[in-house]
Amino acid sequence: QVHPVESGGGSVPAGGSLTLSCAASGEISGRYCIGWFRQSPGKERERVASITSTAFFELAESVEGRFKVFTDNDKTTGYLRMNNLNPEDTARYYCAADWNYREGGVGACRYTDWGQGTQVTVSS
């Protein structure tokens, strides 16, 4: 199993932007799903974005229009571009991967490899 490693978190004022990165030990290639999740104290873990190697992607309604999910040209790293952040976005963000994805939309992804997370704090 290859565990993703997240980076790019930090503190930002409301309205600011951050870009989170999700790197795997090996190249992110072939067939895969990358999912971004977030969790804050007292709240249920929420999936905020997913992208597949077949170019399917999905954003949660709560972040649609503000966040973008993509991979780099070499597909070595996944990214979550977070724009117009608000305090409700404060959470620890996790990247997860499904290396056995074959077909279908993001609903077919089964995330088995999880990173340690990176904290995002948005001040008012």
Side-chain angles (χ1 to χ4, degrees), residues 4 6 9 13 21 31 37 39 41 47-48 73 82 84 86-87 96 112:
E6 307 93 335
S21 300
R31 302 167 182 171
F37 300 78
Q39 188 168 31
R47 180 173 63 83
V48 299
N73 291 335
M82 310 164 67
N84 194 25
N86 59 63
T112 58

Side-chain angles (χ1 to χ4, degrees), residues 1-6 22-29 31-37 45 49-50 93-101 109-117:
Q1 292 182 322
V2 178
H3 298 290
V5 178
E6 307 93 335
C22 176
S25 297
E27 180 179 338
I28 301 176
S29 61
R31 302 167 182 171
Y32 63 84
C33 296
I34 297 173
W36 287 97
F37 300 78
R45 186 176 64 193
S50 297
Y93 284 71
Y94 299 86
C95 177
D98 172 7
W99 306 115
N100 296 313
Y101 170 83
C109 302
R110 300 293 180 266
Y111 305 100
T112 58
D113 296 304
W114 293 76
Q116 294 288 323

Side-chain angles (χ1 to χ4, degrees), residues 20-101:
L20 305 183
S21 300
C22 176
S25 297
E27 180 179 338
I28 301 176
S29 61
R31 302 167 182 171
Y32 63 84
C33 296
I34 297 173
W36 287 97
F37 300 78
R38 65 186 181 186
Q39 188 168 31
S40 58
K43 296 182 179 180
E44 188 175 277
R45 186 176 64 193
E46 176 188 18
R47 180 173 63 83
V48 299
S50 297
I51 188 168
T52 76
S53 55
T54 52
F56 286 99
F57 70 93
E58 184 178 271
L59 294 165
E61 184 177 352
S62 59
V63 304
E64 190 172 19
R66 299 188 296 121
F67 291 12
K68 297 179 180 179
V69 60
F70 57 97
T71 57
D72 63 15
N73 291 335
D74 296 327
K75 296 185 178 180
T76 56
T77 307
Y79 299 93
L80 182 69
R81 177 64 176 173
M82 310 164 67
N83 296 316
N84 194 25
L85 287 161
N86 59 63
E88 287 68 41
D89 295 314
T90 295
R92 191 165 184 86
Y93 284 71
Y94 299 86
C95 177
D98 172 7
W99 306 115
N100 296 313
Y101 170 83

